[in-house]
Amino acid sequence: MKAGQASTYALRVLQCLGGVGSFTDWATFEKDFWAEFFPIDPAKSTALALHNKEQYGQEKQTLDKYIDFFRALVEQAAYPNGLQLYLTFQDGLHPALMERIDNLAEGRPDDEQIASWYK
């Protein structure tokens, strides 16, 4: 539990909840753990993540990694294809890359076809 969501959970338990002693029994810990790592509606949770650029944005990832991660989120969320999907994808791109794309005279990906942005 040293990285990612597991690290955040461990810190919350240890610092905010008062440590492992804050769970009265195994069942209480298990219920909290399941609520944190296995949401009731994963598609809804993923769709909500697509509305928070900090959770899905390119940042320092390579473009290929960003595309793979974004596509996985879209598939998991059953997000519909269309303008909103294109805008969400574009919003997550690194600003310098998006500026270069905006300045293309030719070869700019089609705003109506998200697949053209994945190439």
Side-chain angles (χ1 to χ4, degrees), residues 3 5 22 24 28 46 50 55 77 89-90 101 106 108 110:
Q5 185 179 359
S22 61
T24 55
T28 306
T46 306
L50 284 167
Q55 291 187 24
F89 178 81
Q90 186 184 46
I101 292 170
E106 292 182 18
R108 179 175 162 63
D110 183 358

Side-chain angles (χ1 to χ4, degrees), residues 32-101:
D32 187 70
F33 182 86
W34 275 89
E36 182 72 24
F37 290 97
F38 301 97
I40 294 172
D41 188 349
K44 182 178 180 181
S45 297
T46 306
L48 290 172
L50 284 167
H51 289 278
N52 183 349
K53 188 169 68 171
E54 292 177 5
Q55 291 187 24
Y56 76 87
Q58 181 183 2
E59 310 252 334
K60 295 181 181 179
Q61 296 181 70
T62 65
L63 182 58
D64 287 338
K65 285 185 180 182
Y66 169 67
I67 290 171
D68 290 345
F69 182 69
F70 185 84
R71 289 176 87 170
L73 285 177
V74 167
E75 186 175 312
Q76 188 176 15
Y79 212 74
N81 196 358
L83 181 61
Q84 186 60 45
L85 180 60
Y86 147 73
L87 292 172
T88 303
F89 178 81
Q90 186 184 46
D91 191 43
L93 288 172
H94 191 281
L97 176 59
M98 197 56 234
E99 185 176 338
R100 286 180 56 198
I101 292 170

